[in-house]
Structures are given as structure tokens and as C-alpha cells.
Amino acid sequence: TARQGFGGRADWSLIGKIKQQLQIPVIGNGDIETAADAMAMMEQTGCDAVMVGRAAIGNPLLFAQIVDRMAGREARTVTDRQRIEMMIRYLEASVQYLGEKKACYMMRSRLGWFVKGLEKAGRFRNAIRRVETEMEAKKLIADYCSELSIS
């Protein structure tokens, strides 16, 4: 929950208990950050599907990765360049949909999700926290790419 700072772990065993009691499809949710997590939840709980939350913002290809695993294929990998391209598309679409001021306010936290696990991500997240324009955000992204030699 927000009160918990979105910390802690989901109790998948409760999903399994609910699934055993119901005749209708059950959708599991909580802590699905990778395709392997989705597969593990379905296996451990017997749920019929999984719902992906915040992890999809930083990795929109997570859905395709889950589909890959469900089809018995290796989950596709996401390159650093693809992450940056998705970040820019997300920024542009948000500005178009919400307007620059509101979108840039939201991007102060959300753009940082795309760099989770990358080198110097903390520095980028700190820089983006004060972004006010789309142009400023794109400059910070370009500077970050230069710093990491992502072309």
C-alpha cells in the first residue's frame, strides 16, 4: 500500500487459497517484476492469469516477455538502448496526453523507473526530480546516455 511505501512482499499463498475455493477464474497480482515472477505466481497459486502493476512502467516489454515465457520461449531481452527509447516515447506520449506541465511533474518519478538497475541510475533519478519541460527531460536523458555511452 502507499502507507507502506509500496514495500513488503505480496502473500501469494492467499491467492492460492482463494483459487482453491472458487470455480471462477482468479487473477493474481503482486510483485510481478519479471516474466519469471509471472510464471512462478501461476505455478505456485494455480491462478488463471497475472496482473502486472508498476513494473510495467519501467519495462513496457514485460508483457511481451511474459507472453514469450507462457509460449515456452525464452523471454526477449531489453537492451539499454531500448529502455531509453521507451522512456522517450513514454515522455512524449505523456506530454501529448496530459500537457507538458502535468506530464513533466509525473515524469519526475516515473522516468527513474526505466533506469532501475542501470549504472548511475541514482544520479539520473536525482537530476530528473526537478524537470519542468519536455526539452529539459530530453536533455537529461541525452546527458545520461552520453555518460553511459548508450548510443
Side-chain angles (χ1 to χ4, degrees):
T1 65
R3 183 183 296 172
Q4 296 169 313
F6 301 105
R9 300 296 298 168
D11 185 352
W12 290 359
S13 68
L14 293 175
I15 298 168
K17 289 176 186 173
I18 290 169
K19 176 60 183 167
Q20 290 175 353
Q21 299 298 315
L22 298 176
Q23 305 300 314
I24 60 172
V26 172
I27 301 171
N29 178 267
D31 298 323
I32 304 297
E33 297 178 3
T34 66
D37 293 338
M39 301 305 291
M41 176 183 273
M42 292 182 77
E43 183 178 312
Q44 290 174 28
T45 68
C47 67
D48 302 284
V50 296
M51 186 182 319
V52 177
R54 289 180 305 274
I57 293 176
N59 180 14
L61 287 179
L62 178 55
F63 300 106
Q65 292 170 323
I66 292 170
V67 168
D68 286 344
R69 290 294 304 274
M70 291 180 80
R73 299 184 300 264
E74 192 67 34
R76 66 195 73 190
T77 59
V78 181
T79 67
D80 294 348
R81 182 74 225 151
Q82 287 173 311
R83 289 168 100 170
I84 298 300
E85 289 169 359
M86 287 185 287
M87 183 190 322
I88 293 168
R89 283 198 311 267
Y90 182 64
L91 168 67
E92 291 171 346
S94 296
V95 168
Q96 183 178 5
Y97 184 72
L98 300 168
E100 186 173 47
K101 184 176 181 176
K102 186 173 184 178
C104 287
Y105 180 77
M106 287 176 53
M107 295 303 107
R108 292 176 180 183
S109 64
R110 295 193 179 172
L111 290 182
W113 296 355
F114 286 86
V115 298
K116 183 178 180 181
L118 294 182
E119 200 175 328
K120 302 176 185 175
R123 192 176 318 163
F124 175 76
R125 281 192 298 271
N126 190 44
I128 209 82
R129 283 190 344 208
R130 294 172 291 283
V131 73
E132 294 187 17
T133 67
E134 180 179 3
M135 188 184 322
E136 182 183 359
K138 285 182 174 179
K139 168 103 171 69
L140 290 169
I141 294 167
D143 291 348
Y144 181 67
C145 287
S146 292
E147 192 175 357
L148 297 185
S149 299
I150 297 174
S151 55

